[in-house]
Amino acid sequence: MPRINTAAKGRRLEHRTIKLLEAAGYSCTRAAGSKGVWDIIAIGPVSIRLIQVKANNAPGPVEREAMELFEAPSNATKEYWVWVDKVRQPIIKTLSLTRKWLEKSGE
């Protein structure tokens, strides 16, 4: 079985994600090769979407913590999109509560 070029696969999935977002009216920027927290920043008329794109698996605990701790404007959502092989649409998850909010609320 041939080895899969994971960087190329990730790039393809990021472009698929951008295509869906642009069709929904967002302007997108891809953080190519940055190794940062977010792969795509999508800006719409009233909201911002910060997106991490994954193939087959959700982000691990360290990566999720970095996403949760990232400070973003109040109109921004923090999301990860998981593209499962041979499935047409991604699984989209939104991080609803940040650790900072939990610490402030005392939970």
Side-chain angles (χ1 to χ4, degrees):
M1 187 188 255
R3 292 193 77 145
I4 294 177
N5 182 333
T6 56
K9 183 177 184 177
R11 187 171 48 254
R12 279 193 310 272
L13 295 177
E14 289 167 2
H15 284 288
R16 281 176 72 183
T17 301
I18 288 170
K19 189 175 178 181
L20 285 175
L21 289 163
E22 287 178 341
Y26 287 87
S27 295
C28 300
T29 298
R30 181 175 159 260
S34 71
K35 303 294 183 200
V37 178
W38 308 108
D39 294 322
I40 298 168
I41 299 170
I43 301 173
V46 294
S47 66
I48 300 168
R49 296 171 81 173
L50 306 172
I51 301 167
Q52 178 64 240
V53 179
K54 294 295 187 187
N56 297 309
N57 297 306
V62 172
E63 200 168 14
R64 287 213 31 195
E65 181 176 30
M67 292 164 61
E68 289 170 352
L69 293 176
F70 186 89
E71 294 203 29
S74 60
N75 66 333
T77 59
K78 302 173 188 179
E79 307 172 15
Y80 63 89
W81 292 32
V82 180
W83 289 90
V84 178
D85 289 346
K86 299 182 178 123
V87 176
R88 292 179 151 248
Q89 294 294 318
I91 299 165
I92 301 171
K93 298 287 184 180
T94 301
L95 300 175
S96 57
L97 298 175
T98 64
R99 184 172 302 250
K100 191 173 194 177
W101 183 86
L102 289 171
E103 288 170 358
K104 284 183 182 177
S105 68
E107 292 184 19

